[in-house]
Amino acid sequence: MTVLDDRIDMADANTKRLDEWFERLERMPVPEGFRVEIVEGNVHMTPQRDTHWAIIFRIARAVDDKFGKDVKIFSAVRIDFPGHENGFCPDIAKLRDGAEPDGTGHWRYQDAEFVAEVISQGTAANDYGPKKLAYAAAEVPLYLIADPYQGRCHVFSQPKDGDYTAEFRLAFGQDLDLTDTVLGLTLPTADFPRD
């Protein structure tokens, strides 16, 4: 058994534990406008800033324009990913055509084709570290990080053995060519705000 197999098995084993965590969190007085997720067993609560939302909206609209209104694209919806207690709520997740929730009502990480995260100062290390590795272990074909602090996008593709083998960066203001990816589109970044 490989490390990748171990991570995938842990995702299934942790679902019940994550259900318990999220049930407790739903009973807590989480302020409106905050997103809660669990990364490697640690609870992270981050506020939704206007810059953050503007970038999410622009990416989601581009994906929606490309695939139409029936596309399964979510923002801040829980998906359990491989690793120890990884109940992520990606800023954007596009699922493959025909994806359906599992028997417990959860969306399956195996159906994720594209994930995008917009950096928040307090949780940037998660997006560049454990979340990137979990998305690669889940074999998500395309992972995009939009970083308004650096003013650039980081694109990761070609997952293999629990990591991405291809990466490139592009400054905000340029068109991000994703035509050779599962998205098959060019993403304008000229209107991405910076922090």
Side-chain angles (χ1 to χ4, degrees):
M1 183 172 272
T2 67
V3 172
L4 180 59
D5 292 331
D6 288 343
R7 287 182 185 172
I8 291 170
D9 289 343
M10 283 197 314
D12 296 334
N14 288 322
T15 297
K16 186 173 179 174
R17 176 90 170 118
L18 287 167
D19 286 347
E20 293 169 4
W21 270 99
F22 278 104
E23 284 175 21
R24 287 186 187 125
L25 290 167
E26 286 173 5
R27 291 192 298 268
M28 292 177 62
V30 175
E32 190 168 329
F34 279 74
R35 176 179 72 153
V36 178
E37 63 183 350
I38 300 171
V39 179
E40 295 186 322
N42 297 302
V43 176
H44 296 270
M45 185 174 7
T46 53
Q48 183 83 286
R49 299 175 341 275
D50 56 347
T51 300
H52 196 213
W53 171 242
I55 295 171
I56 292 169
F57 183 75
R58 284 170 175 84
I59 296 169
R61 184 166 36 188
V63 174
D64 186 69
D65 288 348
K66 169 71 177 175
F67 293 96
K69 64 180 175 135
D70 293 328
V71 67
K72 285 195 173 40
I73 184 171
F74 302 109
S75 181
V77 172
R78 175 185 161 196
I79 302 173
D80 298 346
F81 282 91
H84 175 69
E85 295 183 358
N86 283 330
F88 299 163
C89 301
D91 288 325
I92 299 173
K94 180 200 175 292
L95 304 183
R96 68 173 177 78
D97 290 344
E100 296 289 334
D102 65 17
T104 63
H106 295 102
W107 292 102
R108 296 169 1 104
Y109 71 84
Q110 294 92 335
D111 292 327
E113 290 185 324
F114 166 66
V115 172
E117 297 286 3
V118 179
I119 294 298
S120 295
Q121 239 175 356
T123 58
N126 288 338
D127 295 332
Y128 286 110
K131 288 174 86 173
K132 179 182 146 252
L133 293 176
Y135 294 145
E139 297 185 352
V140 175
L142 183 63
Y143 175 40
L144 167 67
I145 295 176
D147 191 329
Y149 299 97
Q150 295 179 359
R152 72 173 66 147
C153 291
H154 301 258
V155 179
F156 302 92
S157 61
Q158 301 174 19
K160 184 177 180 182
D161 297 328
D163 204 354
Y164 285 101
T165 61
E167 172 185 358
F168 72 92
R169 297 179 189 124
L170 182 85
F172 285 7
Q174 301 177 49
D175 286 348
L176 183 56
D177 182 359
L178 301 171
T179 55
D180 290 336
T181 71
V182 294
L183 288 185
L185 59 80
T186 299
L187 179 65
T189 67
D191 293 334
F192 282 15
R194 293 183 66 151
D195 273 336

